[in-house]
Amino acid sequence: MAEGSLGERQWRLSRLAVAVLGLWLAVDLGLRLMPVERLGVSPNTAAQRLAGRHSPFRSSFSVYAPEGTPGENAVRGNLPSTEGRRPLRFSTDALGYRLNPELPSGAAPDVLFIGGDSFIYGANLSDEETLPAVFTRVSGLLSYNAGRPNAAPMMLYDLDWLLKHFPRVPQTAVLVHLEHHRYNATDRPRSTPGVWDELRLARRALSEWWTASPLSNATRRLFRHFADGKLLPNSYLQQVSAYSLPDRRPILFRDYETHPARVPQSGDQILATADNILAWTRALQGRGMEVYVLLLPTRFTVYGPWLVDGEARARVIRAAESFNQLAAELEGRGIRTINGLGVFQETAHEDLLSGDLPFYREDNHWNSRGVERIARLLADSVCQSAAVAARAGYRKLSQPCR
């Protein structure tokens, strides 16, 4: 009798386990069908769901993130947030690209911003704080934000699709290169999608839908609450490198930010990267645009010399030298190059002492102060070249620089 009762209890428990798993699956799938931006999913993740074939984000989408949202690096390291951030609005236009509120609907842009991943489309920045928006206010030139996530980089067939939707081709393109991006000799922009591109698009669509799971996010947040280094070991801490400012506030770096210092580039790698940038430059010029290349460093290359010493400091300095070598190589090939490292290095030590950085401390992106610096530097370069071209009798921009 006891054996029968035991078997019956085991059967009931098995049925209960199956029922619980079935209920979990049903709730999980149901929540994925809801507007996930209202269920604790980040604006970036929510915007990437249901994106078009050639678009990085969902079209005509807008979501609000409240004040105090923790930075990505703090979340990755499962560390308490000490950096209060302002609320932000993340919006897209009808084509599925980040909205520049300074660009009137239907207007022909003067300048096209491409490349630069989340720095350009504006992760953790409100619509009006992105580089294209600030550049438009500073220069008076209407700018289009064609920035895309690093998981969905711009291809030439995406660019051609986008250009067909403009009243005319922009006269100027700003091609943004991030320091940690390295290319091989075989990397070239492709004008038609191949088999691997089709598979990548399918994988991206599935991944963007699958990762935006409110239930899974809530479960992870619950586990992180206990894995704080007190109740349970904080296994997430190894995902970031933590340092302290002079005022003892933390500054957190992701692996990709320290990668240029940890893994030096060879001369051949620098040349391969320059070749890739040159290929993109020629492709943009072939479509009727004048091209400026904007180089942006990682935060660690900017601030590392004051955060580490010895051999570690020497490696950071070598990373900066490689960055400047790339800039010199591009300029030697006749490419108009704007080196963003210098503008941040000028005040790096003072920024650390004051704690008033142009980057977030607990996120891997720049803040509105950093955007403002680069926007003014870029505006000076573009407008000066436009003025010289006008005096020489070349075509003028449709909008005068301010």
Side-chain angles (χ1 to χ4, degrees), residues 91-112:
S91 307
T92 65
D93 63 14
L95 299 179
Y97 283 83
R98 186 74 188 268
L99 179 72
N100 176 3
E102 306 293 335
L103 177 65
S105 178
D110 298 299
V111 181
L112 177 71

Side-chain angles (χ1 to χ4, degrees), residues 377-389:
L377 175 68
L378 185 60
D380 289 343
S381 299
V382 173
C383 292
Q384 183 178 17
S385 296
V388 171

Side-chain angles (χ1 to χ4, degrees), residues 341-374:
L341 178 59
V343 73
F344 292 127
Q345 279 181 326
E346 287 177 358
T347 61
H349 191 213
E350 291 77 8
D351 292 343
L352 289 173
L353 291 175
S354 68
D356 191 21
L357 277 64
F359 297 89
Y360 291 114
R361 290 184 295 102
E362 298 176 352
D363 193 275
N364 50 306
H365 297 99
W366 54 12
N367 57 32
S368 58
R369 291 187 293 274
V371 172
E372 183 81 17
R373 289 192 193 182
I374 293 298

Side-chain angles (χ1 to χ4, degrees), residues 287-402:
R287 286 159 174 76
M289 290 176 274
E290 298 179 70
V291 182
Y292 296 81
V293 172
L294 171 63
L295 303 180
L296 292 179
T298 70
R299 294 183 307 155
F300 195 71
T301 299
V302 176
Y303 298 113
W306 288 276
L307 298 174
V308 296
D309 52 23
E311 178 57 29
R313 183 175 187 274
R315 288 196 294 267
V316 179
I317 293 173
R318 283 198 295 270
E321 291 171 350
S322 296
F323 190 84
N324 291 328
Q325 184 179 343
L326 174 62
E329 178 66 27
L330 294 174
E331 290 171 352
R333 300 186 187 197
I335 299 174
R336 293 170 175 168
T337 304
I338 300 162
N339 189 338
L341 178 59
V343 73
F344 292 127
Q345 279 181 326
E346 287 177 358
T347 61
H349 191 213
E350 291 77 8
D351 292 343
L352 289 173
L353 291 175
S354 68
D356 191 21
L357 277 64
F359 297 89
Y360 291 114
R361 290 184 295 102
E362 298 176 352
D363 193 275
N364 50 306
H365 297 99
W366 54 12
N367 57 32
S368 58
R369 291 187 293 274
V371 172
E372 183 81 17
R373 289 192 193 182
I374 293 298
R376 292 191 178 279
L377 175 68
L378 185 60
D380 289 343
S381 299
V382 173
C383 292
Q384 183 178 17
S385 296
V388 171
R391 287 196 296 270
Y394 296 107
R395 61 178 181 170
K396 299 180 181 180
L397 293 165
S398 61
Q399 290 271 42
C401 288
R402 288 176 182 153

